[in-house]
Structures are given as structure tokens and as C-alpha cells.
Amino acid sequence: MTIHLIKLCVGADRIDDLKSWQHTLLQRNKGTRLQGLVHHTTRMFPKRAEELKDGGSIYWVIAGQIQVRQPIVDLQEVTTNEGRKCRIVLEPGLILVNPTVKGPFQGWRYLKPEDAPGDLGSSAEGDDLPIRAELAELGLL
């Protein structure tokens, strides 16, 4: 059974901030064993790893709303100078979802498929639309 993760995109005010951060990560990883991988590292390793790898996505909360998602490719245990961590390997590119208000929380949480916002049907490769959240609140998206 598939399960998803929901995670605050700390420091991002717009979708373009996340895209820029991931682009920088890809550039920094050139010539390393992580070349071509988009990933996010977190302290805790999910206990439901197999369910996440079975079609799960990470849903990013940006500016108080779930705005985009990325399919999860793999979960890898890594050791850093701070101890063991989990590297969440993601498909590159962001998929726009119906903006959904989400209050603050720490770390990540599991998200049931039936609770996940639906895709908007296009990729977030184009321009960020800051007004999108306002349109959604008005019921126009």
C-alpha cells in the first residue's frame, strides 16, 4: 500500500525557491556519486519505507500551503558526522498540486493517499504563479 510524506520546505517562500535550491544541489553533485540525483536528507528514517517506495511522493509545504510534490525514487541510509540519516531520493521536477492550507509542524509526517491534494495536471517547470494560492482560496482553481 502506498503512503506519502509531507514536509515543510523551510526557507522557501515560492515554488521557484525550491526549484533553485534543487538546481544548486544538482550542480554541486556533479562529478560525485550523487550526480544527477535530487534528494533531501532528514534525521529520521521512515519506518514505512517500502510503502513510500511503492509510488509515494513527498508533498512540499511552501508558504503555509501544500503546493507541489515529487515522486520518491529511493530511501538510503547515510552516515554523516552527525550520525545516521535518511537520504530521500526524488524524481527531478516538481508536480503542481491543488494548493492546500497546512499549518506548521516539525520534521515530516505521513500522508495518506486519500488525504493528498490532487495534481493540477502540469509540471512546475514554468513560471511560479504566486496568485495561484489566492485563486484556490476563492475556489477558482
Side-chain angles (χ1 to χ4, degrees), residues 3-141:
I3 193 82
H4 305 293
L5 290 180
I6 184 169
K7 173 90 175 86
L8 293 177
C9 193
V10 178
D13 294 321
R14 301 175 341 124
I15 295 170
D16 282 341
D17 295 336
L18 176 59
K19 288 192 315 191
S20 176
W21 174 77
Q22 289 187 351
H23 176 75
T24 300
L25 181 66
L26 285 169
Q27 297 302 313
R28 188 174 54 215
N29 288 341
K30 280 187 177 177
T32 73
R33 60 188 167 88
L34 298 174
Q35 182 167 329
L37 294 179
V38 174
H39 60 88
H40 177 75
T41 303
T42 184
R43 275 186 316 145
M44 303 301 291
F45 199 95
K47 293 179 180 163
R48 299 174 73 176
E50 292 307 312
E51 292 171 88
L52 289 166
K53 293 191 291 186
D54 184 28
S57 290
I58 188 166
Y59 284 76
W60 292 106
V61 177
I62 301 170
Q65 294 192 351
I66 304 169
Q67 295 193 39
V68 294
R69 71 176 180 89
Q70 286 180 278
I72 296 171
V73 174
D74 196 13
L75 299 169
Q76 304 168 345
E77 187 173 315
V78 295
T79 302
T80 71
N81 58 352
E82 298 172 344
R84 291 180 2 185
K85 301 207 177 206
C86 176
R87 178 183 297 133
I88 305 169
V89 181
L90 305 165
E91 283 188 16
L94 304 171
I95 300 167
L96 294 171
V97 299
N98 289 312
T100 306
V101 174
K102 181 68 179 169
F105 60 95
Q106 290 185 338
W108 51 260
R109 299 287 184 263
Y110 290 113
L111 179 65
K112 295 177 187 174
E114 60 268 20
D115 295 334
D119 292 350
L120 286 179
S122 65
S123 131
E125 295 304 317
D127 295 331
D128 190 14
L129 300 174
I131 197 167
R132 193 167 60 88
E134 293 175 38
L135 293 173
E137 284 182 25
L138 295 171
L140 299 173
L141 278 180

